[in-house]
Amino acid sequence: MDDIQRDHVGTTKTMSVGIYGWRKRCLYCLLFVLTIVVLINLCLTFWLSVALGLHWGSIGPITIFKSHVIFRSPVVFKDGFIANKISSGDQSLSIQSDKSVNIQSGSENKNSKLTIDQNGIHANCDQFQINDRTGSKLVAIDSSQIQVYTDDLSIMSDKKRFELPNLITNSISSDKNLTLSADEGRLILSSNSNIDIAARQTLDFVGNDITIKAHTIRLQNEHIYFEKLRFFDRAKGPITARSSQSYSVCICENGLVFAAVDCRQHAFDCRERNWVCKSTLSDGHTRSIRSVAWSYCGNRIASAGFDAKVSIWERQGQEFVLQTTLEGHENEVKDVAFSRSGLYLSTCGRDKSVWIWEYNEEENDFACAAVLTTHTQDVKHLKWHPQKDVLVSCSYDNTIKMFIEDNNDWSCVCSLDSHTSTVWSCDFDATGKRLVSCSDDKTVKIWHAYEKNNQEGIRSPNGVYPVWKCVCSISGYHKQPIYDVNWCPLTGLIATASGDNSIRIFREEESKQRDVPPSFSLIASNAHAHSQDVNRIAFNPKEPGLIASCSDDGTVKLWRIEQKLM
């Protein structure tokens, strides 16, 4: 048995398991090559991280967070950069470009853009505003005005010339000579209180026409000179002065200036009134004349007639001569009005159109600048803004429309709809911020203009022009349609003329509360001012309380309001 076992053990073979020979050598070579590649990658990664400054949470000078990104060195953007906020911390922020730098905010339809290039800094926005460190406004600029919220504004250029169409300020002063001029149009100085003009040496007023509208004029000078002044003699009329010095000057209540060479020989009472016919203008129309208007310079008269024509009369010496005749309306011309600047003349008619004529100084003539057809019925009345070239029209379609020129194109910027019947007339107050209108519905309405950024929070649909809102309605005083209304620029009184033959005067009630709507009360009336319809009424622009009215009874009457009522 043992022999058998030994024979079995002796015949057992041993088998080797694994890779041997050339396969084993190839495997070792592959492992060696992979090791070398891994070491090279590790070396390259370490070198790149050192070269690029890579750290945990940052890429070189760039640290990335969920809410923001920090750059620790100057960065160059090739295709633009979009961000909600850019901050430099306690260091200065520098933005540089070889061409231009554009900073833009907003949507595609409405955005603001700031461009900095070699030609300068350009801001495209609705309003450009500069604030101080506390956030208070210093300068606000938009398309209509420039507002400076500082006590003093100094112009330090060599020319020291400042050109603006309108300037609102409490004081204007100069260390040397102060010149206020208007190259075109009129130079207007207006204030709700007093206007003080003072000079240490000489004060000169130079102009073709100088108009001073004030309740009281005080000339506190030792010597007053009127050069080339024509004196007035009661018997002979105007006479040429023999000297540039006047011994006596009287500014009458009616706004006329009378001078006498010798008070003892030419003394008179300025308050005496003698209304006489100075001139009769004929040959201008072939049918009835519906309306007449004076230019603010007093040198032209325009008349509108039922013959579809507008005649312009020009002063030559003491007479008025027919200068030109304007044609274009299809039928009756209902009203005509000169603009405050003297550059425009407006007409309206039964053909539902409003025409604007522009004055050409070189040719001394008027040319059509625009034909506006926004009304759907007859246009009854026209009124220009007392300070701007803004035109208002009243129509048989129960609406009031406002027109303004923008880029040499006249267009309607707003329509006032509150009356329920024909709007016969309207008028601005002295500031031009309020409007009064009268209608066939026997009501008088007061409209208020809300400018941009007003405290009431009323927004303009276009964001440029003011919004007009009806703030007061006066009714129950007239039994028939109200044909005309006039707002006195001196006293603030409102006069109405009606088809019930009456004239009524209203005064605004004083209120200490700013947010309370205005209210008006009747202070004077005459139920039988005329025997027929009263068509027009107008305050004297120079003498407070003096009113003129005209009627279908063929008369023109002058009325005076008692001083205690004003």
Side-chain angles (χ1 to χ4, degrees), residues 180 187 189 197-198 202-208 210 212 219 221 225:
L180 302 178
L187 175 64
L189 303 178
I197 303 176
T202 304
L203 180 62
D204 296 328
F205 292 93
V206 181
N208 294 330
I210 300 176
I212 302 177
L219 303 176
N221 300 76
Y225 297 92

Coordinates of all heavy atoms in Angstrom, one line a residue, residues 180 187 189 197-198 202-208 210 212 219 221 225:
L180 N -28.4 141.6 -21.4 CA -29.5 140.6 -21.7 C -30.0 140.9 -23.0 O -30.5 142.1 -23.3 CB -30.6 140.8 -20.6 CG -30.2 140.6 -19.1 CD1 -31.4 140.8 -18.2 CD2 -29.6 139.2 -18.9
L187 N -37.3 139.9 -25.8 CA -36.6 139.6 -24.5 C -37.7 139.9 -23.4 O -38.1 141.1 -23.3 CB -35.4 140.4 -24.3 CG -34.7 140.3 -23.0 CD1 -34.2 138.9 -22.7 CD2 -33.5 141.3 -22.8
L189 N -38.8 139.8 -19.4 CA -38.5 139.6 -18.0 C -39.8 139.6 -17.2 O -40.6 140.5 -17.3 CB -37.6 140.8 -17.5 CG -36.3 141.0 -18.2 CD1 -35.6 142.2 -17.6 CD2 -35.4 139.8 -18.1
I197 N -34.1 146.2 -11.2 CA -33.0 146.4 -12.1 C -32.1 147.5 -11.6 O -32.6 148.6 -11.5 CB -33.5 146.6 -13.5 CG1 -34.4 145.5 -14.0 CG2 -32.3 146.7 -14.5 CD1 -35.0 145.7 -15.4
A198 N -30.9 147.2 -11.3 CA -30.0 148.2 -10.7 C -28.7 148.2 -11.4 O -28.2 147.1 -11.8 CB -29.9 148.0 -9.2
T202 N -24.4 153.1 -15.4 CA -25.4 153.5 -16.4 C -26.3 152.3 -16.7 O -25.8 151.1 -16.8 CB -24.7 153.9 -17.7 OG1 -23.9 155.0 -17.4 CG2 -25.7 154.3 -18.8
L203 N -27.6 152.5 -16.9 CA -28.5 151.4 -17.2 C -29.1 151.8 -18.6 O -29.8 152.8 -18.7 CB -29.6 151.3 -16.1 CG -30.7 150.3 -16.3 CD1 -30.1 148.9 -16.4 CD2 -31.8 150.4 -15.3
D204 N -28.9 150.9 -19.6 CA -29.4 151.2 -20.9 C -30.4 150.2 -21.3 O -30.2 149.0 -21.1 CB -28.2 151.2 -21.9 CG -27.2 152.3 -21.7 OD1 -27.6 153.3 -21.2 OD2 -26.0 152.0 -21.9
F205 N -31.5 150.6 -21.9 CA -32.5 149.8 -22.6 C -32.5 150.1 -24.0 O -32.7 151.2 -24.4 CB -33.9 150.0 -22.0 CG -34.1 149.6 -20.6 CD1 -33.9 150.5 -19.5 CD2 -34.4 148.3 -20.2 CE1 -34.0 150.2 -18.2 CE2 -34.5 147.9 -18.9 CZ -34.4 148.9 -17.9
V206 N -32.1 149.1 -24.9 CA -32.0 149.3 -26.3 C -33.0 148.3 -27.0 O -32.9 147.1 -26.7 CB -30.6 149.0 -26.8 CG1 -30.5 149.3 -28.3 CG2 -29.6 150.0 -26.0
G207 N -33.8 148.8 -27.9 CA -34.8 147.9 -28.6 C -35.7 148.8 -29.4 O -35.9 150.0 -29.2
N208 N -36.2 148.1 -30.5 CA -37.2 148.8 -31.3 C -38.5 149.1 -30.5 O -39.1 150.1 -30.7 CB -37.5 147.9 -32.5 CG -36.3 147.8 -33.4 OD1 -35.5 148.7 -33.5 ND2 -36.2 146.6 -34.1
I210 N -40.0 148.7 -26.5 CA -39.8 148.3 -25.1 C -41.1 148.4 -24.4 O -41.7 149.5 -24.3 CB -38.7 149.2 -24.4 CG1 -37.4 149.1 -25.1 CG2 -38.6 148.9 -22.9 CD1 -36.4 150.1 -24.6
I212 N -43.3 147.7 -20.9 CA -43.2 147.4 -19.5 C -44.6 147.2 -18.9 O -45.4 148.1 -19.0 CB -42.4 148.5 -18.7 CG1 -41.0 148.7 -19.3 CG2 -42.4 148.2 -17.2 CD1 -40.3 149.9 -18.6
L219 N -38.9 154.9 -10.9 CA -37.6 155.2 -11.4 C -36.9 156.0 -10.4 O -37.1 157.2 -10.2 CB -37.8 156.0 -12.8 CG -38.6 155.3 -13.8 CD1 -38.8 156.2 -15.1 CD2 -37.9 154.0 -14.3
N221 N -33.9 157.5 -10.0 CA -32.7 158.0 -10.6 C -32.7 159.5 -10.5 O -33.7 160.1 -10.6 CB -32.5 157.6 -12.1 CG -32.5 156.1 -12.2 OD1 -33.5 155.4 -12.1 ND2 -31.3 155.5 -12.4
Y225 N -33.3 160.2 -19.0 CA -33.2 160.7 -20.4 C -34.0 159.8 -21.3 O -33.9 158.6 -21.2 CB -31.7 160.7 -20.8 CG -30.8 161.6 -20.1 CD1 -30.1 161.2 -18.9 CD2 -30.7 163.0 -20.4 CE1 -29.3 162.1 -18.2 CE2 -29.9 163.8 -19.7 CZ -29.3 163.4 -18.6 OH -28.5 164.2 -17.9

